[in-house]
Amino acid sequence: MPSSKLLIYGSYGYTGKLIVDECLRRGIKPVLAGRNGTKLKEQAVTHELEYRAFPLDIVSTVAGKLVDIDAVLHCAGPFIHTAEVMSEACLGSGTHYLDITGEIEVFEMMASKSGKAKAAGIVLLPGVGFDVVPSDCLARHASEQMPDARFLKLFISFNGTFSAGTAATAIEHFAKGGSVRKGGAITKVEPGWKTEEVNFISYTGLTVTIPWGDVSTAYYSTGIADIEVYMRLPKKAIKRMKIGRFLQPLTRLAFVRNYLKKKVRRMGDGPDASERKKGETRVLSTVTDDAGNSRSFLQISPEGYTLTARTATDCALRVMNGEANNGFQTPSLAFGSDYIMDFEGVSRQSV
Ligand SMILES: NC(=O)c1ccc[n+]([C@@H]2O[C@H](COP(=O)([O-])OP(=O)(O)OC[C@H]3O[C@@H](n4cnc5c(N)ncnc54)[C@H](OP(=O)(O)O)[C@@H]3O)[C@@H](O)[C@H]2O)c1
């Protein structure tokens, strides 16, 4: 699609850079964008790409920057602060919108704009990274294998580290506590609400409920109204999470959040190339019907940021190619439950 234009906003962030590299590897020349002209210029000169510097403040101004753009791949988070302006600008300019959020509120915001997106003739496809492409495809696959399933649990296991941007986004949401879906409604629960020991096949680990994006998206992808998402964490971290319940009110204060974000920044940007190469992710999906019958499926995929770069780029290309219906979509609604199986290093089994 030589005439299609993809704009990557937040292109000089840790994950944005990986996505730009993946685009170049696939022969796509994206337009770089963000709010820092100096960083953009440096990145644009290095890769001989066009760039546009603009903040995400006034919708009409942002829409003006997108009039010749076919799709925006939005990589500037926490998205709770940026997705509203960018998605409204996309609605105004008739530009497809994709992002790499994992934030429940942002998915719900996008779902609520589905009618507007259809009227504007655009696709709204949030969550095209590790959170939620692999888990969303696996959840839908599990529900297709047990169509009358009433409960869904997803268990996620990383063996790598997080980027500073991901940690900052988690801090931003910590004060809101945990979330699960009960009877179709997103329901608040305490941080570290439930734990379960899980067999990820080659190892076992303790997992804990977390407010992961699938609490929102798996409902749209599977129709299942009761959803819990768990993550494998060290026992010490789970203990701290529970103790953290008492500190939770403190993190409602912006200066406390800013202090924690600065501390996280000092730990470095994110996993380096060798860590990303070594890393691996596993997702276990269990569906259960009213009679208590269960089925479980395990999916193995590459390290989270490597996978994010690949899935985000691929989703954007497919959307520009007209492969997704207009309106709000989840990855599996857009491309099917087997979409994730197209990526190198992904395998799935019934367990
Ligand atoms: N779903 C997934 O699987 C997945 C995977 C990776 C990352 N993420 C999410 O993606 C986001 C970015 O992660 P990262 O690792 O790339 O973080 P990062 O290295 O901190 O980069 C963040 C980028 O966002 C920009 N930005 C932040 N706030 C902005 C605002 N208000 N207006 C304009 N630009 C803004 C930053 O620009 P400045 O430098 O100018 O501030 C920077 O370019 C995080 O929210 C993270 O949780 C999700």
Side-chain angles (χ1 to χ4, degrees):
M1 84 211 50
S3 58
S4 291
K5 260 188 171 175
L6 171 66
L7 180 140
I8 300 178
Y9 193 93
S11 64
Y12 54 81
Y14 173 81
T15 312
K17 278 186 201 159
L18 296 179
I19 292 173
V20 171
D21 289 347
E22 176 66 9
C23 284
L24 294 171
R25 195 185 68 77
R26 291 189 63 166
I28 318 298
K29 285 184 157 262
V31 177
L32 308 180
R35 61 181 169 183
N36 186 318
T38 311
K39 287 186 188 173
L40 279 172
K41 190 174 176 187
E42 197 182 307
Q43 188 183 26
V45 169
T46 304
H47 297 300
E48 295 180 12
L49 295 171
E50 180 190 340
Y51 75 93
R52 297 178 191 179
F54 56 93
L56 296 179
D57 48 10
I58 301 160
V59 170
S60 57
T61 310
V62 177
K65 306 284 182 189
L66 304 179
V67 281
D68 61 335
I69 298 293
D70 297 284
V72 163
L73 178 46
H74 184 31
C75 301
F79 293 89
I80 196 71
H81 301 310
T82 63
E84 170 69 7
V85 170
M86 183 59 97
S87 58
E88 284 299 317
C90 285
L91 285 166
S93 60
T95 304
H96 298 303
Y97 171 95
L98 301 97
D99 71 29
I100 56 165
T101 191
E103 297 159 60
I104 293 170
E105 292 93 331
V106 177
F107 288 115
E108 291 298 302
M109 180 205 296
M110 295 303 157
S112 75
K113 292 178 194 274
S114 194
K116 277 163 89 178
K118 281 182 191 159
I122 67 161
V123 177
L124 290 178
L125 179 50
V128 293
F130 175 70
D131 186 359
V132 293
V133 177
S135 45
D136 185 59
C137 289
L138 185 64
R140 190 167 163 91
H141 171 74
S143 73
E144 286 166 350
Q145 303 307 307
M146 188 185 255
D148 52 354
R150 292 286 301 274
F151 305 94
L152 167 71
K153 285 183 182 178
L154 286 163
F155 301 93
I156 292 159
S157 172
F158 278 92
N159 67 354
T161 52
F162 295 107
S163 74
T166 301
T169 302
I171 290 165
E172 195 62 40
H173 289 274
F174 185 70
K176 295 171 195 154
S179 290
V180 296
R181 216 181 253 275
K182 277 190 195 169
I186 293 175
T187 307
K188 291 281 163 214
V189 292
E190 288 182 320
W193 181 53
K194 275 190 186 174
T195 56
E196 255 186 62
E197 187 75 24
V198 172
N199 185 350
F200 287 99
I201 300 307
S202 57
Y203 57 86
T204 57
L206 188 64
T207 65
V208 63
T209 43
I210 51 155
W212 197 251
D214 299 272
V215 170
S216 167
T217 49
Y219 177 62
Y220 302 106
S221 301
T222 67
I224 297 175
D226 290 278
I227 301 167
E228 292 172 4
V229 185
Y230 294 72
M231 180 166 286
R232 182 176 70 91
L233 286 175
K235 283 189 178 132
K236 235 194 227 170
I238 294 176
K239 206 169 162 191
R240 277 195 205 127
M241 214 168 163
K242 291 182 178 173
I243 295 168
R245 286 174 191 166
F246 306 106
L247 302 174
Q248 208 187 330
L250 269 183
T251 58
R252 286 191 201 119
L253 302 169
F255 80 88
V256 174
R257 289 200 302 274
N258 289 340
Y259 168 76
L260 292 172
K261 284 188 215 162
K262 267 188 203 148
K263 271 199 95 154
V264 157
R265 288 271 164 219
R266 279 189 225 120
M267 288 159 59
D269 282 343
D272 63 22
S274 79
E275 285 175 279
R276 289 198 302 273
K277 206 168 173 196
K278 276 188 271 167
E280 179 211 76
T281 50
R282 291 182 179 224
V283 186
L284 181 83
S285 173
T286 299
V287 280
T288 309
D289 66 15
D290 274 336
N293 302 307
S294 284
R295 290 205 62 185
S296 294
F297 302 86
L298 179 84
Q299 196 173 270
I300 303 176
S301 48
E303 187 274 342
Y305 293 92
T306 301
L307 191 65
T308 293
R310 292 182 193 161
T311 54
T313 304
D314 193 74
C315 284
L317 295 182
R318 283 173 185 255
V319 165
M320 289 196 295
N321 205 27
E323 292 178 40
N325 291 330
N326 290 336
F328 167 75
Q329 299 291 333
T330 65
S332 71
L333 285 177
F335 309 125
S337 59
D338 286 339
Y339 171 56
I340 190 67
M341 305 308 291
D342 291 354
F343 295 88
E344 196 190 325
V346 179
S347 61
R348 185 190 275 171
Q349 58 185 291
S350 172
V351 290

